[in-house]
Amino acid sequence: MGKNILTLTDHRTGETYELPITNGTINAMDLRKIKTHADDFGLMSYDPGFKNTAACKSKITFIDGEKGILRYRGYPIEQIAEKCSYLETASLLVNGELPTKSELGEWTWNITHHTLLHENIKKFIEGFRYDAHPMGILISTVAALSTFYPEAKNIMDAESRLLQTYRLIAKIPSIAACAYRHRMGLPYVYPDNDLSYTGNFLNMLFKMTRPKYEPDPVLEKAMDVLFILHADHEQNCSASVMRGVGSSHADPFCATAGAAAALYGPLHGGANEQVLRMLNEIGCKDNVPAYIKRVKDGGVLLMGFGHRVYKNYDPRAKIIKQIADKVFEVTGRNFLLDIALELEKIALEDEYFIKRKLYPNVDFYSGIIYQAMGFPVELYPVLFAIGRTSGWIAQWQEMLLDPQQKIARPRQIYLGEEYRDCIPVEKAGDPTEA
Ligand code: ACO
């Protein structure tokens, strides 16, 4: 192998430059040495959507999009989904290693004992309109937590960071459950410390008049695996927002609210909600070819298909498909699954999708499972946010502790007006006036 050096010739000047290559990247700041004259700002790279820009070094999640590989801290997602609980996975992501039995006990105890919400937070949620979207409630309430825990600003204090980590992982399901019950007009349910993290979440959502809620073990396990599959996905849109907001040293509650807002969009975590709406719109298997035609004509997107990084089957979608079978044994088969399977079959054989390497992503089947489990569509991105919280925290912490990180502040190519003088409105005239 040759030297780790990139030689560039700037044909504007005839100058040649040598740029070191480290970890398969050049340092963007090295481009600035490439100038046409002494006062020139220097060369930049243009990369809308950050398609080819590494903004950080990370040890959390590895993805090989071409091969369909996803690993948390080196462990394949398939093994984690089979052998670990969500709380173990959260500990792995945040702390770097799988916890020992006693570490897991302590971690679980601390998270379990931070699930209660301040009564004023409940009142805050009560203030939302009866039909408020639960994702809007979640985003605002997580931001409001910042006002309840002002010490969270001590972001460089490891103990404080850990406390906010417990609070965030513990309270987001409680907020999510309150948002759901608010919409349903049901009284809020207090956490039950005898239950698992996921079992308690189902309890806070679905407990009615019985004194004790007993989650169905199959559904509890399925939900836990779904949280694991959503826990992290390296520098996705919401994780980048988490790092971006956190880079200004805002507290983790505000940063998490920003990340959740990014997740809400239909191109990101809001896609599972859109998949359900799409499947309902298609209505039956026979209508699938006509819908595929609309997609190919550019009229609509096939929601739950395509991914910025995966150019192969999303490994999470494979696991979710297996969970779906187990869930349907308990809940009964959902007719939407047949439409989804038909869509997938036709799309995977179609030149349009093959050429663009469009495969089902994590959101394609998760919505169908959520529907079978009785969640309203508006809750789907909220469920995604619960699982993703541990990943956001891991990304935020890694960013804070990385001495090379700075406040996130990209450059731009300015193509607007050159210098011009401002004319007061009374002198400017009105082009609509004759
Ligand atoms: N349906 C139809 N065509 C699609 C789809 C889709 N779902 N996704 C991409 N394409 C097409 C584009 O139109 C484009 O075609 P062209 O080359 O003829 O212009 C080509 O495939 C490449 O697409 P891009 O938009 O450049 O891909 P990008 O990496 O920017 O977008 C994204 C990725 C946003 C996920 C996109 O595939 C999409 O919108 N998918 C649907 C929404 C969705 O499921 N989002 C969830 C992603 S998973 C997650 O966030 C957890």
Side-chain angles (χ1 to χ4, degrees):
M1 194 159 142
K3 285 193 267 179
N4 278 325
I5 284 179
L6 176 71
T7 304
L8 286 178
T9 303
D10 184 350
H11 289 280
R12 298 171 301 175
T13 58
E15 289 284 340
T16 297
Y17 300 85
E18 290 203 329
L19 273 47
I21 300 175
T22 316
N23 299 318
T25 52
I26 56 160
N27 189 327
M29 284 306 285
D30 285 344
L31 294 174
R32 291 272 288 277
K33 295 175 199 150
I34 304 177
K35 300 179 178 216
T36 51
H37 52 88
D39 295 341
D40 185 5
F41 182 76
L43 208 63
M44 294 192 293
S45 63
Y46 175 57
D47 188 10
F50 308 112
K51 284 185 123 174
N52 197 37
T53 296
C56 64
K57 292 172 184 163
S58 183
K59 293 183 175 174
I60 303 171
T61 292
F62 172 79
I63 301 176
D64 184 329
E66 291 294 329
K67 295 193 184 130
I69 293 174
L70 169 62
R71 294 182 201 136
Y72 295 161
R73 302 274 186 193
Y75 298 107
I77 190 66
E78 295 78 6
Q79 290 186 26
I80 296 180
E82 192 193 328
K83 297 178 183 167
C84 302
S85 67
Y86 173 69
L87 282 191
E88 269 176 284
T89 310
S91 174
L92 170 70
L93 288 169
V94 173
N95 303 315
E97 292 294 340
L98 277 171
T100 61
K101 229 176 176 177
S102 65
E103 284 166 349
L104 180 61
E106 195 183 331
W107 174 256
T108 305
W109 192 93
N110 276 306
I111 291 174
T112 307
H113 287 81
H114 280 96
T115 47
L116 271 178
L117 298 175
H118 191 291
E119 288 296 305
N120 284 0
I121 292 190
K122 280 173 47 192
K123 288 192 194 125
F124 179 81
I125 295 175
E126 275 162 19
F128 283 94
R129 250 176 68 141
Y130 69 96
D131 60 350
H133 196 291
M135 199 62 182
I137 299 182
L138 182 86
I139 293 164
S140 331
T141 311
V142 172
L145 288 181
S146 150
T147 66
F148 287 80
Y149 306 111
E151 75 277 14
K153 288 183 181 63
N154 298 328
I155 50 167
M156 288 306 172
D157 180 89
E159 227 172 274
S160 170
R161 274 201 310 274
L162 184 59
L163 179 58
Q164 314 322 322
T165 299
Y166 292 143
R167 285 176 172 152
L168 273 164
I169 296 176
K171 291 185 199 300
I172 286 200
S174 309
I175 297 170
C178 285
Y180 166 75
R181 295 193 64 112
H182 176 74
R183 197 177 170 85
M184 305 298 283
L186 292 167
Y188 304 147
V189 172
Y190 282 91
D192 180 343
N193 288 359
D194 295 339
L195 297 175
S196 72
Y197 181 78
T198 308
N200 175 50
F201 176 55
L202 295 173
N203 158 67
M204 291 188 293
L205 284 172
F206 296 131
K207 182 168 178 262
M208 298 304 268
T209 50
R210 277 167 296 166
K212 187 94 183 156
Y213 178 84
E214 280 169 25
D216 182 291
V218 174
L219 302 187
E220 183 183 358
K221 174 71 187 157
M223 199 66 228
D224 205 63
V225 174
L226 284 163
F227 286 155
I228 292 173
L229 299 181
H230 287 92
D232 194 53
H233 214 230
E234 50 120 313
Q235 306 314 312
N236 56 85
C237 179
S238 56
S240 304
V241 170
M242 184 81 190
R243 281 178 175 260
V245 178
S247 77
S248 76
H249 289 187
D251 71 62
F253 298 106
C254 290
T256 303
L263 188 75
Y264 190 7
L267 297 188
H268 190 11
N272 50 21
E273 184 177 343
Q274 299 307 323
V275 169
L276 239 276
R277 293 190 195 284
M278 174 187 77
L279 294 176
N280 276 314
E281 187 192 331
I282 295 173
C284 69
K285 259 169 78 172
D286 295 347
N287 295 339
V288 168
Y291 197 84
I292 293 273
K293 185 171 179 313
R294 273 178 70 197
V295 173
K296 286 162 63 178
D297 290 346
V300 282
L301 283 174
L302 186 54
M303 297 312 289
F305 258 69
H307 198 277
R308 171 59 61 79
V309 179
Y310 290 121
K311 301 302 169 197
N312 200 323
Y313 211 102
D314 182 337
R316 300 168 300 174
K318 266 188 204 156
I319 301 171
I320 290 184
K321 231 172 139 178
Q322 292 158 10
I323 302 175
D325 293 333
K326 291 183 188 144
V327 168
F328 292 142
E329 275 171 28
V330 177
T331 62
R333 200 177 161 87
N334 187 329
F335 79 100
L336 295 177
L337 183 67
D338 296 325
I339 304 176
L341 288 170
E342 185 70 5
L343 261 180
E344 181 186 329
K345 187 171 138 274
I346 296 185
L348 292 183
E349 288 167 356
D350 192 293
E351 188 52 30
Y352 176 96
F353 297 90
I354 295 170
K355 204 174 118 201
R356 291 169 179 78
K357 299 190 176 176
L358 299 172
Y359 291 88
N361 60 47
V362 68
D363 289 319
F364 192 63
Y365 286 105
S366 59
I368 307 172
I369 299 182
Y370 293 149
Q371 198 199 39
M373 288 174 74
F375 297 114
V377 276
E378 296 79 17
L379 209 66
Y380 299 178
V382 172
L383 301 173
F384 193 152
I386 295 174
R388 187 53 61 88
T389 300
S390 53
W392 287 333
I393 296 167
Q395 298 284 346
W396 166 73
Q397 182 161 263
E398 188 179 66
M399 179 274 305
L400 281 180
L401 300 181
D402 179 349
Q404 289 187 334
Q405 283 298 318
K406 301 242 177 243
I407 185 167
R409 204 316 184 172
R411 291 280 174 183
Q412 64 168 4
I413 302 171
Y414 179 71
L415 297 176
E417 300 288 345
E418 289 296 335
Y419 175 91
R420 49 182 173 165
D421 285 319
C422 176
I423 301 164
V425 67
E426 57 275 11
K427 288 198 184 157
D430 188 341
T432 59
E433 283 171 14

